[in-house]
Each structure stands twice: as structure tokens, then as C-alpha cells.
């Protein structure tokens, strides 16, 4: 009987989904990214960025900097 219990425990653990690997979920990107092209990934959830209007690039697109660019420095007409 003990062998059957051990076998059932082994099959239960093998049937559980594996959580290793890339996590597809996470927080959605902010609406600011509608105005920027995402470039290469520089960290988990961090991307390079390029303005869709004046093509200014950033190695790491941080939201406050991107918002400031659109508000004060971009040459676009959608302000």
C-alpha cells in the first residue's frame, strides 16, 4: 500500500504546471507608449524608446522622461 501512495504523490507533482520560464503576465504598458516605439529590452519590463513624431531615441524609456518630452520638447502638433 505504501508504494501506491508514493506513486500517486509522484504523479500528482508531475501533473502540476511548471512555473519556470518567461512570465507573460504583468502590468500593462501605460498609454504614453502609444506615442513611442518600443525598442530592445534593457531589463524586466524596461525598454528602449523612440518618439513616433520626432524620432528622438532613449536607451531606457522611463515614463516621466517620456511624458516631459511630449509636453515640453517634442516638435509634434498633437499637444
Amino acid at each position: 500500500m505504501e508504494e501506491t501512495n508514493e506513486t500517486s504523490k509522484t504523479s500528482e507533482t508531475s501533473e502540476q504546471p511548471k512555473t519556470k520560464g518567461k512570465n507573460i503576465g504583468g502590468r500593462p504598458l501605460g498609454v504614453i507608449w502609444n506615442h513611442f516605439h518600443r525598442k530592445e529590452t534593457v531589463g524586466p519590463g524596461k525598454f528602449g524608446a523612440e518618439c513616433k513624431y520626432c524620432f528622438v531615441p532613449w536607451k531606457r524609456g522611463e515614463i516621466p522622461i517620456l511624458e516631459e518630452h511630449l509636453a515640453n520638447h517634442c516638435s509634434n502638433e498633437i499637444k
Side-chain angles (χ1 to χ4, degrees):
M1 249 189 190
E2 289 180 29
E3 291 179 21
T4 309
N5 289 341
E6 289 179 20
T7 307
S8 64
K9 287 181 183 178
T10 306
S11 63
E12 286 176 11
T13 56
S14 64
E15 291 175 9
Q16 294 175 353
K18 296 180 181 180
T19 57
K20 292 182 180 180
K22 194 169 187 176
N23 185 2
I24 298 174
R27 181 177 284 181
L29 294 175
V31 295
I32 191 74
W33 287 99
N34 294 337
H35 303 283
F36 293 90
H37 296 286
R38 280 191 315 177
K39 297 295 182 178
E40 68 281 346
T41 302
V42 294
K46 305 294 181 190
F47 308 96
E50 181 180 72
C51 181
K52 287 184 177 181
Y53 310 109
C54 63
F55 306 105
V56 174
W58 289 268
K59 288 186 178 183
R60 182 174 174 161
E62 297 179 8
I63 301 299
I65 295 171
L66 300 178
E67 289 173 342
E68 178 190 2
H69 170 74
L70 286 180
N72 300 323
H73 304 291
C74 188
S75 59
N76 68 17
E77 298 293 327
I78 65 163
K79 296 180 185 179

